[in-house]
């Protein structure tokens, strides 16, 4: 972290009311805590096992049309996971989530809270591209959602950020519109879940970026609070 970033980070702590910081091997302590707690969850698959179970998935009608299955990418120890809707053209071509224009914006959004893409984990509700980027259909979600749940259980992030209506409604199991869901935390299986606007929507409606910035500041504060 360079001096400017450090100053911004300290200002942020001050803004959220933190007036003292414990300096120590925080990363190591967290890793030890994680290793200890993963032994308490023998029924939970690790990420490699989830990927292996998904295999060369043919569970729904999207599989014959895909170029690549897009499982997810990033840190398997991520404290923060982003969940999008489904791969688009670029993601289908590369087998990686959020690598097109919306993905470039997502990278900037992640960096806005002093994280890097490699620090977080990024995946989608659907692992295969719907034709012409149409909306996911219920049978496709029913086939894929168990794998998203297993990914989240394997990583066990502190915070899950749902990108857009579809991810928010699927993860939170609700039909409420994104305008009602975004910007507040929900508790789910020991994780804090928040929704914000999808980066593809921000490309069409850049005036909504301010609200996403508010949501990202909340995420940053929540991560900091949960680390304390
Ligand atoms: N939009 C999504 O929801 N996911 C991606 O991976 C890319 C674009």
């Amino acid at each position: 972290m360079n001096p400017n970033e450090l100053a911004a980070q300290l200002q942020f702590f001050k803004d959220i009311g933190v007036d003292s910081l414990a300096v120590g091997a925080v990363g190591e302590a967290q890793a030890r805590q994680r290793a200890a707690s993963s032994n308490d969850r023998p029924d939970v698959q690790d990420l490699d096992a989830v990927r292996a179970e998904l295999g060369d998935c043919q569970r729904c009608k999207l599989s014959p049309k895909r170029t690549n299955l897009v499982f997810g990418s990033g840190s398997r120890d991520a404290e923060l996971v982003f969940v999008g809707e489904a791969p688009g053209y670029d993601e289908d071509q590369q087998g990686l989530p959020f690598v097109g224009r919306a993905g470039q914006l997502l990278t900037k959004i992640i960096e806005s809270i002093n994280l890097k893409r490699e620090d977080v984990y990024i995946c989608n509700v659907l692992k295969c591209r719907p034709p012409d980027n149409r909306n996911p259909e219920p049978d496709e979600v029913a086939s894929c959602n168990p794998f998203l749940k297993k990914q989240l259980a394997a990583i066990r992030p502190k915070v899950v950020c749902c990108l857009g209506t579809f991810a928010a409604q699927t993860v939170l199991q609700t039909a409420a519109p994104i305008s009602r869901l975004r910007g507040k935390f929900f508790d789910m299986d020991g994780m804090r879940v928040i929704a914000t606007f999808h980066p593809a929507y921000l490309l069409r409606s850049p005036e909504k970026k301010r609200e996403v910035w508010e949501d990202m500041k909340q995420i940053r504060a929540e991560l900091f609070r949960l680390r304390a």
Side-chain angles (χ1 to χ4, degrees), residues 70 83-92 96-103 106 117 122-126 133 163-164 166-167 198-200:
V70 181
V83 179
E85 178 172 320
Y89 174 81
D90 296 298
E91 292 75 22
D92 175 65
L96 291 168
F98 281 98
V99 287
R101 274 186 73 219
L106 178 60
R117 251 181 102 107
I122 305 173
C123 57
N124 285 300
V125 175
L126 292 193
N133 301 337
L163 299 168
F166 185 77
H198 194 288

Side-chain angles (χ1 to χ4, degrees), residues 4-226:
N4 287 343
E5 285 168 346
L6 181 61
Q9 187 75 66
L10 291 172
Q11 183 60 47
F12 170 70
F13 291 151
K14 201 167 159 225
D15 292 347
I16 63 171
V18 174
D19 52 16
S20 70
L21 291 173
V23 179
V26 175
E28 274 173 39
Q30 279 173 357
R32 272 199 305 277
Q33 213 174 28
R34 244 165 225 279
S37 57
S38 67
N39 296 337
D40 302 340
R41 305 183 305 147
D43 50 325
V44 172
Q45 292 171 299
D46 71 20
L47 215 46
D48 293 333
V50 180
R51 180 66 191 88
E53 186 189 340
L54 187 58
D56 181 27
C57 185
Q58 311 286 330
R59 291 171 181 78
C60 85
K61 60 187 182 298
L62 294 179
S63 55
K65 304 201 173 94
R66 72 169 178 244
T67 312
N68 285 295
L69 185 153
V70 181
F71 182 65
S73 72
S75 167
R76 57 188 56 224
D77 294 321
E79 292 182 328
L80 173 59
V81 170
F82 288 90
V83 179
E85 178 172 320
Y89 174 81
D90 296 298
E91 292 75 22
D92 175 65
Q93 291 293 306
Q94 296 185 40
L96 291 168
F98 281 98
V99 287
R101 274 186 73 219
Q104 285 162 20
L105 182 52
L106 178 60
T107 303
K108 287 191 186 148
I109 291 170
I110 293 166
E111 289 171 351
S112 76
I113 54 166
N114 295 336
L115 291 172
K116 302 193 199 72
R117 251 181 102 107
E118 316 83 86
D119 297 328
V120 305
Y121 190 83
I122 305 173
C123 57
N124 285 300
V125 175
L126 292 193
K127 309 302 187 222
C128 296
R129 182 188 182 208
D132 302 320
N133 301 337
R134 65 151 167 74
N135 286 342
E137 293 181 354
D139 58 315
E140 297 157 2
V141 180
S143 300
C144 238
N145 198 28
F147 290 94
L148 172 62
K149 286 187 174 168
K150 288 180 187 192
Q151 283 174 294
L152 294 177
I155 299 168
R156 200 151 55 150
K158 292 182 165 64
V159 173
V160 176
C161 178
C162 303
L163 299 168
T165 308
F166 185 77
Q169 291 182 342
T170 305
V171 170
L172 292 166
Q173 295 287 285
T174 171
I178 186 79
S179 53
R180 287 238 328 269
L181 296 173
R182 68 150 281 276
K184 44 185 178 254
F185 281 103
F186 299 85
D187 286 308
M188 197 191 73
D189 301 333
M191 299 173 287
R192 303 279 286 154
V193 180
I194 188 168
T196 193
F197 294 127
H198 194 288
Y201 174 65
L202 295 182
L203 291 172
R204 299 190 298 273
S205 307
E207 74 282 0
K208 296 287 177 190
K209 284 184 184 170
R210 201 183 48 76
E211 275 132 290
V212 173
W213 170 232
E214 293 304 321
D215 300 338
M216 294 308 295
K217 282 195 290 185
Q218 283 209 70
I219 290 174
R220 184 168 64 170
E222 190 65 5
L223 285 173
F224 185 73
R225 189 184 72 77
L226 292 170

